[in-house]
Amino acid sequence: MQNLLRLCQQNVPTVVQQAAVQQKLPDLPRLWAFMQLCDMAGVNSNMTARAFKKAGREVSDFANTIRQAMGGDNSSVQNQRSFQMMLPLYMGENETSYPTYLSVYDENTTDKETGIEKKETWLRICVLTDNIGAAELIFRVYEKNQLDMRFYFSQGEVAEDFKDYISNLRLAVREQTNFQIGEIRLGSIGERMMLAQ
């Protein structure tokens, strides 16, 4: 039930979202989603044909809301695949919801000289936060266990502060995974990236 509410909450009508902000009622979208679920639970055998039809429309609308919340965009062409979706990311003690964009790109190529097949995968995560603005994380996996990382932030000072965590990040990846870290870059969105040491 909680998961259903979270999924629906991201797709409430704009009017409900605006009312929640204007009236300072942060739980209003959750209430709207809960009411949609309750309305559907009222179906019984004593209903008229018209009421059943209305209930059917409500179930269909609700299903479309869930589909939109969970839907992704998949595409595939020869030797390339991609997947994109938007989903809420819940963080912190209060499980605050942040819009998150996820993209995965996968490509297989064959080296013409050696005939060896090479695979490269890119994972891009972009989170829109309240305090630091947009944070974009890009990971490139190649040659089975090589990993490049890029970190973009909408605020330059956040990128500067993140530099202090690079050595701990390298150590954690080395100790907890089989990846060999290649290049790590960080900077602010729209500006030239600096190579992190």
Side-chain angles (χ1 to χ4, degrees):
M1 179 74 139
Q2 290 296 328
N3 287 336
L4 278 174
L5 287 173
R6 285 179 182 163
L7 289 170
C8 298
Q9 196 174 328
Q10 297 302 311
N11 293 294
V12 299
T14 307
V15 173
V16 176
Q17 292 176 351
Q18 289 172 346
V21 172
Q22 289 172 353
Q23 301 299 319
K24 296 181 177 144
L25 297 169
D27 290 332
L28 188 60
R30 187 180 204 118
L31 177 63
W32 177 88
F34 182 73
M35 293 305 295
Q36 295 299 309
L37 289 171
C38 289
D39 286 348
M40 287 188 299
V43 176
N44 63 52
S45 60
N46 298 329
M47 294 174 65
T48 65
R50 187 179 206 174
F52 269 119
K53 189 173 182 179
K54 182 177 184 268
R57 275 196 310 270
E58 288 173 355
V59 170
S60 177
D61 291 345
F62 186 73
N64 285 334
T65 299
I66 295 293
R67 195 175 299 116
Q68 288 172 2
M70 298 182 74
D73 178 24
N74 294 320
S75 64
S76 182
V77 295
Q78 186 177 3
N79 300 326
Q80 298 175 352
R81 295 179 300 171
S82 67
F83 171 78
Q84 300 173 11
M85 76 180 298
M86 180 180 166
L87 65 151
L89 178 65
Y90 297 92
M91 294 189 289
E93 291 178 16
N94 297 330
E95 292 191 358
T96 303
S97 169
Y98 296 100
T100 304
Y101 303 91
L102 175 69
S103 301
V104 180
Y105 173 79
D106 189 56
E107 180 177 37
N108 291 321
T109 57
T110 304
D111 188 305
K112 291 181 180 177
E113 293 178 12
T114 64
I116 296 173
E117 188 173 299
K118 295 182 178 180
K119 181 176 179 172
E120 186 171 305
T121 302
W122 291 77
L123 169 65
R124 176 183 173 261
I125 303 167
C126 184
V127 181
L128 304 175
T129 68
D130 292 333
N131 297 323
I132 64 170
E136 184 175 26
L137 317 168
I138 300 172
F139 303 94
R140 174 182 172 233
V141 178
Y142 58 102
E143 295 178 10
K144 295 186 181 176
N145 70 340
Q146 298 297 309
L147 175 67
D148 290 347
M149 295 183 273
R150 297 178 186 175
F151 303 96
Y152 296 89
F153 300 95
S154 58
Q155 300 172 20
E157 58 271 10
V158 174
E160 282 293 321
D161 291 343
F162 191 76
K163 273 202 290 190
D164 297 337
Y165 297 98
I166 296 295
S167 59
N168 290 340
L169 179 63
R170 281 185 188 277
L171 183 62
V173 170
R174 190 176 309 127
E175 290 178 350
Q176 299 175 23
T177 72
N178 293 324
F179 288 114
Q180 299 295 316
I181 297 179
E183 190 175 82
I184 298 178
R185 293 182 175 262
L186 71 113
S188 55
I189 295 172
E191 293 181 8
R192 187 175 172 161
M193 298 293 286
M194 60 187 146
L195 190 61
Q197 302 302 324

